[in-house]
């Protein structure tokens, strides 16, 4: 038999990696839904804090016209990525040498973006520019559009019959006038999005095999979701002024997985599947463009929205290279191409444009699935101190991508360290630098509205952990 690698000293190094193993950029992915706390030996508990600060800046689109793909560099868009933080907790214990139980908490999905300044994503209060943008350049100023709409409305009130041209003008310019007035009233407000989720997972595991080298595990997942979205500025055309609030609600899913371990070489491998989770949530929407047809759309309409958060597959792997060094790998897949947010009032409004199709538009959707790969090395320097390094790649979820999160994946490099405070207590800290992929922003009808290049960010994490052996002999 070859060298017997001391798993305890090697996991000292491994644990430092997970403090900074975060910040997935594709879709709404955030935490990476790590379950490795449950795979630790004996009694184990951890508390992890993560902070992410990104610089995502670019330019809006100065082009006005009917070509969806046309782009002309416009005004500067300052950093839209709001810094955010989140926590992860985990606790696990063995019932006996076969069964284990654990509870995990994390914040798996989210978004935080805020536009400001002089660009097409901020309500500038310029009614002429709004009319020009919505009409595709057909009508240059607000007064002309309001005059045309006023005369048509007077004709209707007096019992007159509208010509086909007048009907088309009212259909197009009526909402445009309402949106332009809303933009004027909201002057200075910028596009903003805030999405947060919380997961609590209960896990039961059972070991089997001649040396208990295999383990199957699974359990229920409770997930809470809430969101707020404001669309402001001429970039959003007729949706300028749209506001959505999704009240917090909770629904349930599940996870299942299988793991294999070979302690003599510090090998662990785990494959984990998390189910999608269907939510039915209360939503409130304001849509100024629909105020003429649906008066309540100007002040707020309440309804329900169905959202399905995506399933995922994680593969976690580690193996000893020598008695003081460990290699790690993580692969994650999330089918973001199946995900969408379809608010009912927004969807109704989008159907007014026949080019959007009979099913209308979703507010948020993605074209591609996410792949995340991270590779790392951990080295024990002393019995109490270990250091780590890792590199990573995130595929993103397509390009162009939604203007509410204009990043196409990233490359990353990270460093971490762990120090054993006592035999059972340890503290870990890590950092990761992120090079974001360039992306063009688009609105749901596929019009190009922005371009983001040469952006980056960093993530910092700190973890406090406790581990103790359990003896069932």
């Amino acid at each position: 038999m070859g060298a017997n690698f001391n798993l305890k000293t090697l996991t000292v190094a491994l644990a430092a990696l997970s403090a900074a193993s975060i910040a997935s950029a594709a879709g709404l992915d955030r935490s990476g839904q790590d379950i490795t706390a449950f795979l630790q030996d004996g009694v184990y508990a951890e508390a992890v804090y993560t902070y992410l600060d990104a610089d995502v800046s670019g330019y809006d689109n100065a082009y006005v016209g009917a070509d969806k793909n046309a782009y002309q560099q416009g005004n500067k868009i300052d950093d839209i990525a709001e810094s955010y933080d989140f926590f992860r907790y985990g606790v696990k214990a063995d019932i006996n040498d076969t069964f284990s139980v654990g509870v995990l908490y994390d914040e798996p999905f989210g978004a935080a973006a805020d536009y400001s300044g002089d660009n097409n994503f901020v309500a500038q209060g310029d009614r002429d520019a709004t009319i020009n943008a919505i009409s595709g350049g057909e009508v240059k100023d607000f007064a002309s559009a309001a005059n045309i709409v006023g005369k048509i409305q007077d004709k209707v009130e007096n019992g007159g019959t509208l010509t086909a041209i007048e009907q088309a003008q009212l259909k197009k310019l009526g909402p445009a006038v309402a949106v332009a007035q809303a933009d004027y009233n909201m002057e200075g407000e910028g596009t903003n999005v805030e999405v947060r989720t919380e997961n609590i997972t209960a896990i039961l595991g059972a070991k089997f095999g001649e040396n208990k080298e295999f383990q199957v595990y699974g359990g229920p997942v409770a997930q809470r979701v809430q969101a707020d979205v404001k669309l402001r500025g001429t970039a959003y055309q007729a949706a300028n002024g749209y506001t959505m609030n999704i009240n917090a609600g909770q629904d349930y899913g599940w996870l299942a997985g299988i793991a294999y371990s070979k302690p003599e070489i510090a090998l662990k491998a785990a494959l984990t599947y998390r189910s999608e989770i269907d939510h039915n949530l209360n939503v409130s929407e304001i849509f100024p463009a629909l105020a003429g047809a649906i008066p309540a759309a100007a002040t707020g309409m309440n309804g329900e929205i169905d959202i399905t958060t995506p399933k995922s597959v994680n593969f976690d792997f580690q193996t000893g290279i020598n008695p003081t060094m460990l290699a790690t790998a993580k692969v994650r897949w999330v089918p973001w191409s199946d995900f969408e947010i379809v608010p009912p009032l927004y969807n109704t409004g989008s159907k007014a444009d026949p080019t959007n199709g009979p099913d209308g538009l979703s507010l948020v959707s993605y074209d591609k699935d996410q792949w995340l790969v991270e590779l790392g090395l951990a080295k024990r320097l002393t019995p109490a101190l270990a250091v780590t390094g890792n590199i990573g790649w995130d595929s993103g979820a397509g390009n162009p991508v939604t203007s509410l999160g204009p990043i196409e994946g990233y490359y990353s490099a990270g460093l971490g360290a762990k120090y054993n405070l006592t035999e059972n207590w340890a503290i870990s800290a890590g950092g990761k630098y992120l090079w974001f992929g360039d992306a063009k922003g688009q609105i749901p009808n596929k019009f190009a509205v922005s371009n983001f290049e040469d952006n980056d960010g960093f993530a910092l994490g700190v973890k406090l952990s406790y581990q103790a052996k359990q003896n069932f002999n």
Side-chain angles (χ1 to χ4, degrees):
M1 178 180 288
N4 189 310
F5 297 165
N6 188 317
L7 180 60
K8 180 176 176 58
T9 57
L10 284 171
T11 51
V12 167
L14 172 66
L17 279 169
S18 61
S21 183
I22 45 82
S24 302
L28 302 177
D29 214 21
R30 276 195 172 174
S31 73
Q33 298 183 294
D34 186 90
I35 62 101
T36 54
F38 178 76
L39 302 176
Q40 302 301 314
D41 295 321
V43 173
Y44 181 81
E46 67 177 23
V48 184
Y49 171 77
T50 298
Y51 174 83
L52 178 68
D53 192 354
D55 182 358
V56 180
S57 56
Y59 294 88
D60 67 16
N61 191 356
Y63 171 80
V64 176
D67 186 349
K68 292 186 175 184
N69 298 314
Y71 176 78
Q72 178 183 342
Q73 182 172 304
N75 294 326
K76 183 77 166 63
I77 300 173
D78 293 328
D79 183 16
I80 69 167
E82 294 188 293
S83 60
Y84 64 85
D85 57 4
F86 56 89
F87 290 89
R88 185 176 83 237
Y89 305 103
V91 61
K92 172 262 178 185
D94 296 328
I95 299 173
N96 52 40
D97 63 355
T98 298
F99 294 102
S100 302
V101 293
V103 177
L104 307 177
Y105 168 88
D106 74 332
E107 300 178 32
F109 308 120
D114 188 18
Y115 286 80
S116 60
D118 181 14
N119 57 70
N120 293 343
F121 297 88
V122 178
Q124 303 296 337
D126 187 338
R127 292 182 292 188
D128 292 345
T130 305
I131 288 291
N132 188 37
I134 295 176
S135 69
E138 292 181 18
V139 180
K140 301 297 184 181
D141 61 90
F142 178 80
S144 298
N147 184 52
I148 293 171
V149 171
K151 288 181 177 180
I152 295 173
Q153 290 175 336
D154 288 342
K155 186 175 181 179
V156 172
E157 291 176 0
N158 292 326
T161 301
L162 300 183
T163 66
I165 293 177
E166 288 173 330
Q167 291 175 354
Q169 286 179 319
L170 183 61
K171 184 176 181 180
K172 185 170 188 176
L173 294 183
V177 169
V179 170
Q181 187 60 49
D183 183 86
Y184 178 81
N185 295 336
M186 296 174 180
E187 182 178 2
E189 289 189 23
T191 295
N192 180 273
V193 58
E194 183 74 27
V195 179
R196 296 206 79 135
T197 62
E198 298 174 277
N199 270 19
I200 296 179
T201 305
I203 307 178
L204 173 66
K207 295 179 180 178
F208 63 97
E210 183 178 354
N211 299 308
K212 304 289 187 181
E213 66 270 29
F214 292 98
Q215 183 180 35
V216 293
Y217 51 90
V221 179
Q223 184 177 87
R224 188 174 179 84
V225 176
Q226 65 180 47
D228 294 286
V229 174
K230 295 179 179 180
L231 305 184
R232 302 291 185 266
T234 57
Y236 292 103
Q237 301 175 357
N240 182 2
Y242 174 81
T243 301
M244 177 189 74
N245 171 254
I246 297 177
N247 296 334
Q250 181 171 295
D251 273 288
Y252 303 90
W254 54 273
L255 71 72
I258 185 168
Y260 172 79
S261 65
K262 192 172 184 180
E264 59 267 27
I265 60 170
L267 187 150
K268 284 187 177 183
L271 186 67
T272 306
Y273 173 86
R274 284 182 178 267
S275 74
E276 59 187 21
I277 298 179
D278 297 324
H279 294 267
N280 181 259
L281 304 165
N282 294 325
V283 61
S284 175
E285 300 175 83
I286 297 174
F287 202 156
L290 297 184
I294 309 174
T299 56
M301 289 187 62
N302 297 323
E304 293 183 345
I305 183 172
D306 294 322
I307 295 177
T308 300
T309 54
K311 59 190 174 185
S312 65
V313 177
N314 280 19
F315 176 68
D316 295 281
F317 177 83
Q318 70 170 57
T319 186
I321 298 175
N322 59 48
T324 63
M325 186 172 288
L326 194 73
T328 64
K330 177 185 178 74
V331 179
R332 175 169 168 81
W333 171 76
V334 185
W336 285 108
S337 59
D338 296 335
F339 175 82
E340 60 181 358
I341 298 176
V342 189
L345 186 61
Y346 181 91
N347 181 254
T348 296
S350 69
K351 292 177 182 177
D353 184 348
T355 63
N356 293 330
D359 296 328
L361 301 175
S362 56
L363 178 62
V364 176
S365 63
Y366 300 95
D367 294 331
K368 295 183 179 180
D369 298 343
Q370 172 196 13
W371 285 93
L372 169 69
V373 179
E374 287 187 348
L375 303 175
L377 288 174
K379 172 69 176 178
R380 179 171 61 84
L381 301 180
T382 72
L385 178 65
V387 295
T388 67
N390 63 35
I391 56 174
W393 168 76
D394 186 298
S395 68
N399 186 26
V401 70
T402 171
S403 60
L404 301 179
I407 293 172
E408 190 191 14
Y410 63 76
Y411 290 95
S412 69
L415 295 173
K418 178 181 177 182
Y419 184 76
N420 278 7
L421 300 171
T422 69
E423 180 181 355
N424 302 116
W425 290 93
I427 188 167
S428 308
K432 179 182 289 186
Y433 187 81
L434 309 166
W435 293 268
F436 296 128
D438 298 342
K440 282 186 166 59
Q442 65 180 11
I443 55 177
N445 62 7
K446 306 303 182 183
F447 269 84
V449 291
S450 58
N451 188 43
F452 291 80
E453 296 181 346
D454 302 324
N455 291 310
D456 57 10
F458 67 87
L460 300 175
V462 61
K463 174 167 68 175
L464 181 66
S465 61
Y466 173 88
Q467 188 168 21
K469 291 182 179 180
Q470 290 179 278
N471 193 338
F472 299 103
N473 295 328

